[in-house]
């Protein structure tokens, strides 16, 4: 069982940056792959970034070269650094664990989500 808690959502201007954090409550953090998924208003869930147990990362085209996923295994924490934010990045951002890459339906554990709003 894994419990996930996201932090860091906020309202920002376009072009700004935010860093989201997700703390995983598990003593087996190192075996999990973790992903960041988002749901924009009126749209379905989208996998946008993922990091596996080896530290290999993957990104959706919509965020590539702007977002960076990283982790601190000692703190059981995964981060999402979001730069050059656009209004279309607005949405609820979820951290998820034990999944495969950007495949939303593959993730077994989910956090409650944190809201990001980007204004133009």
């Amino acid at each position: 069982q894994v419990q996930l808690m996201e932090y860091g959502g906020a309202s920002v201007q376009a072009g700004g940056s935010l860093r989201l954090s997700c703390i995983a409550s598990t003593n087996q953090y190192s075996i999990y792959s973790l992903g960041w998924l988002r749901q924009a208003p009126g749209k379905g869930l989208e996998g946008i970034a993922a990091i596996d147990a080896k530290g290999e990362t993957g990104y959706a085209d919509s965020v590539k070269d702007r977002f960076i996923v990283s982790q601190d295994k000692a703190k059981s924490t995964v981060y999402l650094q979001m730069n050059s934010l656009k209004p279309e990045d607005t949405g609820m951002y979820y951290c998820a664990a034990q999944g495969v890459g950007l495949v939303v339906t593959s993730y077994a554990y989910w956090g409650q989500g944190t809201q990001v709003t980007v204004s133009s």
Side-chain angles (χ1 to χ4, degrees):
Q1 188 74 15
V2 181
Q3 292 183 327
L4 303 166
M5 182 65 72
E6 303 95 337
Y7 299 92
S11 296
V12 297
Q13 296 275 355
S17 297
L18 277 177
R19 188 174 82 157
L20 304 182
S21 303
C22 173
I23 300 174
S25 298
T26 174
N27 59 6
Q28 293 184 304
Y29 174 88
S30 62
I31 71 172
Y32 289 108
S33 57
L34 295 121
W36 286 99
L37 309 100
R38 72 181 176 192
Q39 186 164 27
K43 296 188 177 180
L45 280 163
E46 174 191 19
I48 58 171
I51 186 165
D52 68 13
K54 299 177 184 178
E56 295 182 0
T57 59
Y59 299 93
D61 288 343
S62 58
V63 305
K64 196 173 293 183
D65 300 326
R66 297 189 299 123
F67 291 10
I68 300 171
V69 61
S70 62
Q71 62 183 337
D72 184 336
K73 291 186 177 182
K75 296 182 179 179
S76 298
T77 300
V78 61
Y79 303 99
L80 185 67
Q81 177 67 44
M82 305 187 294
N83 302 317
S84 302
L85 283 161
K86 304 175 181 180
E88 51 263 44
D89 292 318
T90 293
M92 186 68 78
Y93 284 68
Y94 298 91
C95 172
Q98 197 174 336
V100 179
L102 304 181
V103 181
V104 170
T105 55
S106 71
Y107 282 90
Y109 303 102
W110 292 71
Q112 296 294 313
T114 187
Q115 177 69 35
V116 173
T117 303
V118 185
S119 57
S120 57

